[in-house]
Amino acid sequence: MSMIDFKKFATYSKPGPRYTSYPTAIEFNENYTLDSYLQDLKADSNPLSLYVHLPFCRSACYFCGCNVIYTSKEENKTLYLEYLKKELALLKKVMDTQKPVYQLHFGGGTPTFFDANELEMLIFLLKETFPNFAKDAEIACEIDPRFFSVHQMQTLKNGGFNRLSFGIQDFDANVQQAIHRIQPFSLVQDSINLARNFGIHSINFDLIYGLPFQNLQTFKNTLELALKLNPDRFAIFNYAHVPWLKKTMRKIDETTLPTPDEKLKILEFSIQFLQNKGYKMIGMDHFAKPDDELFKSIQKGQLRRNFQGYSTKGGTQTIGIGLTSIGEGSNYYAQNFKTLPEYQNAIDKGILPFHKGIKLSADDILRKTIIMQLMSNFKLDFRTIEAQFKINFMKYFADALEALKPLEYAGLIHINKDGIIVSQTGALLIRNITMPFDAYLKRLGANQKIFSKTI
């Protein structure tokens, strides 16, 4: 990729969804009832993807936007596992748990805040409930290097885990101090060596740019240190400072945050640096080695996007397990309760802890297909969409195509009678390119500020 005039494209920076779902989670509502969810849950014939939310952290990382519970009490984790056991028993009663499982992901919170015995119990419960894991299933866990032992690694390996994602964020000591997450390079190095010694061949690093005290030079240093550990994938996220939504972010001194211009310099350097080191850019914020399954899937046009980011396992029914988890079927999204009392109360009543969701209309499914194709594979074939949905693409999406003209003039996309092709530069602005196909954004109006900025 040639050097990019980021200042030229900064004019496109505006609030917009990340499109881990369409419709986005803000459209979930209680008009979609438990009865409807139970019907859809049972009717979906696709193989399974399991997401388990483990919400506990010992202390707050000030940058974090996840749904977490801060605790140091062991009994809280023990009680949560008991409720997960009950939730799994309820799922077994209302859906076909014998379907093949293509993917399992432990997210948080801090999954490795649970000790080896607790993780072993959870893995046992999951495989007892869902016994038919595919031989090539992707089984992943998010890792906090501050909470990661050889016993936990042994448990994960025994459980079939083959992919680990390490929360790095930044190696600079001043940045770590400001975000309340101290983890020296040596600690992370030991964790990576531990994973490699157990034969983990797919390791991802999460980095964040836009954090306090970051600048181009400090982030260069972080990238150079990260490369010494040779991860297979990078996810480099733009920090979204939303203190009105996340109270812990109020502890960050806003005067220490890098300027938008500095953030663009960091992004530009990160792209060039990683590509020069042999990594391929995947979507708007991911990078992978050429031999990684993530890159192979984009070459085949099989990359998919979901709440865990980019995935090689498309066409699955996602079952959200645990507090605040989100499930996804072919025509619905469903989210569990976000607070422990509500979650536990539902299970105590013998019902799934379902809170809200949305049933997708025919138009939703059409637009979701288009948005996810563009977000994942950076191209769209009109004829395929027309054949699948029995529409005239040019007529149905005349307004969206008109809205895309300025992006085409800027060289971000190419549109012809056959489809849309996103340029290398356009891939950085893929959220902007997909937004004209979003039927909900106009209704949101000024409320779009709930989204992070596209750059």
Side-chain angles (χ1 to χ4, degrees):
M1 182 183 290
S2 59
M3 296 296 282
I4 298 166
D5 184 357
F6 275 106
K7 289 185 178 180
K8 172 184 175 183
F9 294 113
T11 57
Y12 295 110
S13 182
K14 60 182 180 179
R18 290 184 178 272
Y19 292 118
T20 50
S21 71
Y22 182 85
T24 62
I26 62 169
E27 303 300 334
F28 297 177
N29 60 78
E30 294 181 36
N31 293 329
Y32 184 63
T33 65
L34 176 61
D35 285 343
S36 296
Y37 172 48
L38 291 173
Q39 291 177 15
D40 293 334
L41 185 66
K42 192 172 184 178
D44 199 309
S45 60
N46 286 317
L48 299 173
S49 175
L50 309 177
Y51 173 76
V52 184
H53 191 67
L54 301 172
F56 299 111
C57 293
R58 187 179 294 277
S59 61
C61 300
Y62 298 158
F63 65 87
C64 182
C66 300
N67 292 300
V68 301
I69 297 171
Y70 306 113
T71 185
S72 59
K73 296 179 179 179
E74 186 66 29
E75 58 265 30
N76 289 341
K77 294 185 289 179
T78 302
L79 182 62
Y80 188 69
L81 287 174
E82 285 299 316
Y83 275 91
L84 287 179
K85 180 178 181 179
K86 294 175 184 178
E87 184 182 357
L88 290 169
L90 290 170
L91 283 168
K92 199 169 185 177
K93 291 180 180 179
V94 298
M95 65 169 289
D96 180 7
T97 59
Q98 299 297 312
K99 294 193 297 182
V101 176
Y102 284 4
Q103 189 176 38
L104 168 62
H105 188 97
F106 284 180
T110 306
T112 50
F113 190 28
F114 287 77
D115 66 29
N117 290 333
E118 291 164 339
L119 290 171
E120 184 177 36
M121 172 61 73
L122 178 56
I123 294 167
F124 171 79
L125 292 171
L126 285 163
K127 293 196 171 183
E128 183 181 51
T129 306
F130 301 96
N132 295 318
F133 274 68
K135 289 183 179 180
D136 63 344
E138 182 184 90
I139 308 179
C141 184
E142 297 171 9
I143 305 291
D144 183 333
R146 301 171 302 170
F147 302 96
F148 190 45
S149 71
V150 64
H151 302 294
Q152 289 170 313
M153 185 63 251
Q154 183 69 68
T155 296
L156 294 174
K157 181 68 175 180
N158 292 346
F161 282 73
N162 48 32
R163 179 172 175 256
L164 301 180
S165 183
F166 287 81
I168 307 300
Q169 326 318 338
D170 194 293
F171 280 120
D172 186 84
N174 290 330
V175 176
Q176 291 187 2
Q177 185 73 36
I179 63 175
H180 200 233
R181 187 180 176 112
I182 307 299
Q183 48 184 52
F185 176 81
S186 58
L187 174 71
V188 177
Q189 186 176 41
D190 288 344
S191 294
I192 303 306
N193 289 339
L194 174 59
R196 294 297 193 195
N197 288 340
F198 274 84
I200 302 299
H201 301 298
S202 181
I203 288 178
N204 174 75
F205 280 7
D206 283 348
L207 301 181
I208 298 179
Y209 69 96
L211 294 173
F213 296 109
Q214 279 181 338
N215 57 48
L216 179 58
Q217 186 56 52
T218 66
F219 207 76
K220 283 182 181 179
N221 295 340
T222 285
L223 284 171
E224 287 168 355
L225 284 171
L227 257 293
K228 289 183 178 181
L229 302 177
N230 196 27
D232 305 281
R233 302 178 186 179
F234 279 96
I236 301 183
F237 300 114
N238 179 7
Y239 170 59
H241 188 60
V242 287
W244 57 91
L245 295 177
K246 294 293 179 181
K247 291 182 180 180
T248 53
M249 291 183 181
R250 298 173 191 173
K251 296 181 180 291
I252 289 177
D253 180 356
E254 294 183 355
T255 66
T256 65
L257 295 175
T259 64
D261 184 56
E262 190 72 12
K263 288 173 68 177
L264 290 174
K265 290 177 182 177
I266 292 172
L267 176 59
E268 178 182 31
F269 176 82
S270 299
I271 294 167
Q272 295 291 335
F273 179 82
L274 290 177
Q275 290 188 329
N276 289 340
K277 297 298 182 179
Y279 289 82
K280 303 295 184 180
M281 191 168 181
I282 310 291
M284 59 186 183
D285 46 26
H286 284 59
F287 300 81
K289 291 181 177 180
D291 58 351
D292 188 273
E293 286 300 320
L294 202 63
F295 181 68
K296 290 179 182 178
S297 66
I298 199 172
Q299 297 296 100
K300 299 174 185 175
Q302 296 174 348
L303 192 69
R304 297 293 181 268
R305 187 160 173 81
N306 57 27
F307 283 98
Q308 285 75 61
Y310 289 102
S311 170
T312 61
K313 305 294 183 183
T316 56
Q317 178 189 21
T318 299
I319 308 300
I321 301 163
L323 188 73
T324 200
S325 289
I326 297 175
E328 175 186 0
S330 56
N331 63 350
Y332 72 88
Y333 290 102
Q335 184 170 27
N336 284 350
F337 283 110
K338 289 187 175 183
T339 70
L340 267 179
E342 291 174 302
Y343 172 79
Q344 293 169 342
N345 183 55
I347 292 175
D348 285 339
K349 291 179 179 177
I351 58 176
L352 288 179
F354 164 85
H355 177 211
K356 60 183 178 179
I358 189 168
K359 178 84 168 188
L360 275 60
S361 67
D363 181 72
D364 288 337
I365 295 172
L366 166 60
R367 292 175 184 272
K368 174 183 176 180
T369 302
I370 290 169
I371 288 171
M372 295 307 174
Q373 278 290 320
L374 286 169
M375 290 292 296
S376 299
N377 300 307
F378 311 107
K379 59 185 177 181
L380 187 71
D381 183 76
F382 293 163
R383 302 295 172 260
T384 301
I385 297 295
E386 289 178 334
Q388 184 177 352
F389 293 96
K390 313 302 180 188
I391 62 162
N392 180 302
F393 194 98
M394 293 291 190
K395 289 183 178 179
Y396 198 102
F397 292 107
D399 58 339
L401 293 171
E402 182 66 27
L404 285 172
K405 284 184 177 179
L407 301 182
E408 184 175 26
Y409 296 150
L412 302 179
I413 54 174
H414 175 64
I415 304 175
N416 59 32
K417 62 181 179 62
D418 297 317
I420 299 172
I421 298 174
V422 180
S423 70
Q424 282 189 308
T425 306
L428 304 178
L429 293 161
I430 193 63
R431 290 160 72 186
N432 296 71
I433 292 166
T434 54
M435 283 165 65
F437 294 100
D438 187 333
Y440 294 88
L441 286 181
K442 289 182 181 178
R443 180 178 57 77
L444 283 173
N447 287 330
Q448 289 182 36
K449 67 181 181 181
I450 61 177
F451 301 118
S452 62
K453 287 192 174 183
T454 54
I455 296 179

